[in-house]
Amino acid sequence: MRTHWTARSIEDYLFRIANDFIVQLQNKMESKHISQDKLAKKLGVTKGAVSQWINRPGNIGLRKMIEYARALGMKLSIVAYEDGDPENKRGPIDSEIFRMCWEQLGRPRNFQAPHANAADNRVPFMRRADDVNKIFRDFKMLEESKGTLNDFLGCPLPISLGKIEGNKTNKEIKPS
Amino acid sequence: MCPSKTQYRLKFITPEDDPEKGVAFLISKDRRITAKEGFDGLRENTERHFQSKFDYWLTGKPYPQGYHGWNQNQWQGKYTKCFVFTHDEEKVAQRFYGFLSNPKPSDRRYCICVLVRYARKVRHEIDETDLKIVEEIRISPEVQKTIDEYFKEKP
């Protein structure tokens, strides 16, 4: 299998991930009806400078990325990850995918309760049955709840015992 | 003596083992086919822009500024199989025109975009010429045969 074009050089890889970032900002500009002119004024630069940055994403530095994101009311994080493709045969994962997953998890802000901020506390669509099993095992309820496990995939995730007790669906499960 | 038929072949620019989509150049001595030559002549930065757009299309990312097709309501529905990747920079619009195909008999969801024509235009110019040529090439039996042969499943 041939390698991905971003495996040719660091510059290629940098271009691609910077371009992913720019597309995110372009989408934000479009949704907020912010023109390049308006963004340039906000940043105190010329329209040409904004245009140049959009056309040559590989030249943008981290500091500028933060400035541009902040000007649009956004923030920036850097994510390192392993995707089982150490030789980069498939290219980087689009940063938009990370953003979407974070939003689907309810935009967590800490590690303690990753689902605590979820809009409806539902199990994320990608959560595997194994993960759900583990949660139930932690609460020593696996045996009692086996029959209703499938139901739980579409029901509120038990974050704490307090929540489980207060949850109508989970009341049917008696903790041992 | 019979005149020899025009030969065509496919050359993938995206990973061939992608289970859902692929982008490939149609290569031939047919003078109407200019995509590969155009791509090889791109400036480094422009080439990266197009490579990124091919990636985005592969992942299903909605990005109408980077690529699109034509629906039944446009051009009297003549070019619904045609597709274009676009890049506008410094008042020059660059385009790669091609067509979509579902070439795997056992997996009709699998889709390739076969790139045929490269064009540099003045921004916002609407020209049917490239689309006509792409459609002519798309429906030609030789091109269809080339695609079928490429994806022929081994017994």
Side-chain angles (χ1 to χ4, degrees):
Chain A
M1 179 187 159
R2 53 180 289 171
T3 54
H4 191 262
W5 66 276
T6 56
R8 292 182 308 202
S9 67
I10 293 291
E11 285 71 28
D12 285 312
Y13 197 99
L14 176 62
F15 182 100
R16 175 48 215 282
I17 59 170
N19 201 54
D20 292 354
F21 168 75
I22 281 165
V23 173
Q24 279 189 300
L25 295 203
Q26 282 179 315
N27 290 341
K28 176 61 92 179
M29 286 165 71
E30 205 174 301
S31 70
K32 285 188 151 186
H33 307 291
I34 296 172
S35 63
Q36 284 189 24
D37 247 339
K38 206 170 167 183
L39 179 62
K41 276 179 193 155
K42 231 173 171 178
L43 289 160
V45 299
T46 63
K47 189 188 168 189
V50 173
S51 172
Q52 171 110 2
W53 163 75
I54 287 171
N55 285 319
R56 301 188 180 281
N59 294 344
I60 192 169
L62 197 50
R63 177 177 285 272
K64 277 271 173 257
M65 283 178 155
I66 296 166
E67 280 177 25
Y68 277 68
R70 298 297 299 127
L72 291 167
M74 300 167 88
K75 291 184 181 176
L76 180 74
S77 289
I78 299 171
V79 181
Y81 57 92
E82 289 178 30
D83 65 351
D85 176 26
E87 289 171 39
N88 194 27
K89 287 179 177 172
R90 309 210 64 85
I93 306 291
D94 196 316
S95 54
E96 187 72 354
I97 292 175
F98 289 109
R99 185 192 62 79
M100 286 167 66
C101 291
W102 174 71
E103 287 184 355
Q104 287 202 357
L105 279 168
R107 302 169 181 246
R109 297 197 63 86
N110 58 49
F111 299 95
Q112 280 75 31
H115 311 303
N117 297 328
D120 61 3
N121 270 356
R122 280 178 187 276
V123 179
F125 76 99
M126 285 189 300
R127 184 166 284 283
R128 296 168 301 161
D130 285 351
D131 296 339
V132 178
N133 273 334
K134 187 177 178 299
I135 292 162
F136 278 76
R137 214 175 295 124
D138 290 346
F139 287 111
K140 299 178 181 176
M141 293 192 304
L142 187 60
E143 284 306 309
E144 289 86 352
S145 61
K146 261 181 184 169
T148 55
L149 189 60
N150 286 342
D151 293 342
F152 263 91
L153 289 168
C155 292
L157 180 71
I159 295 165
S160 66
L161 278 170
K163 280 212 171 185
I164 288 171
E165 284 160 6
N167 182 294
K168 191 181 172 187
T169 314
N170 293 342
K171 270 181 182 174
E172 295 157 18
I173 302 159
K174 294 167 188 167
S176 55
Chain B
M1 202 173 95
C2 288
S4 61
K5 282 188 178 176
T6 311
Q7 301 281 308
Y8 297 94
R9 66 187 173 89
L10 290 178
K11 184 175 169 57
F12 270 75
I13 189 162
T14 56
E16 277 184 72
D17 66 340
D18 188 292
E20 291 170 7
K21 284 179 174 175
V23 179
F25 290 112
L26 187 63
I27 296 173
S28 170
K29 285 182 180 168
D30 183 336
R31 286 183 159 189
R32 298 172 300 170
I33 295 169
T34 56
K36 178 69 168 67
E37 199 185 334
F39 189 82
D40 290 343
L42 292 177
R43 284 191 297 185
E44 192 178 42
N45 203 58
T46 311
E47 188 232 315
R48 287 170 176 156
H49 271 291
F50 278 110
Q51 290 273 23
S52 299
K53 284 165 184 176
F54 299 154
D55 284 353
Y56 296 155
W57 180 68
L58 249 56
T59 59
K61 182 172 182 159
Y63 191 39
Q65 309 97 310
Y67 42 82
H68 64 85
W70 287 267
N71 63 30
Q72 285 287 354
N73 301 323
Q74 296 164 298
W75 304 109
Q76 294 89 48
K78 287 185 284 185
Y79 306 119
T80 55
K81 290 281 185 186
C82 293
F83 202 76
V84 66
F85 287 93
T86 70
H87 178 62
D88 297 344
E89 191 176 344
E90 292 159 8
K91 293 179 183 172
V92 176
Q94 300 189 62
R95 303 282 183 264
F96 281 95
Y97 292 94
F99 61 86
L100 302 178
S101 172
N102 302 93
K104 290 186 179 176
S106 62
D107 182 5
R108 285 295 173 196
R109 285 178 308 172
Y110 179 78
C111 181
I112 54 164
C113 181
V114 181
L115 300 177
V116 177
R117 299 270 296 172
Y118 167 69
R120 285 170 68 93
K121 315 178 165 248
V122 175
R123 206 181 287 248
H124 304 310
E125 184 186 348
I126 298 169
D127 186 356
E128 196 183 354
T129 313
D130 288 304
L131 289 174
K132 268 186 183 166
I133 294 170
V134 169
E135 184 62 12
E136 267 173 31
I137 289 168
R138 184 185 76 83
I139 60 173
S140 83
E142 289 83 10
V143 169
Q144 287 298 325
K145 193 180 165 195
T146 302
I147 296 170
D148 290 347
E149 288 287 321
Y150 193 94
F151 289 96
K152 198 172 177 181
E153 278 154 15
K154 287 161 194 153

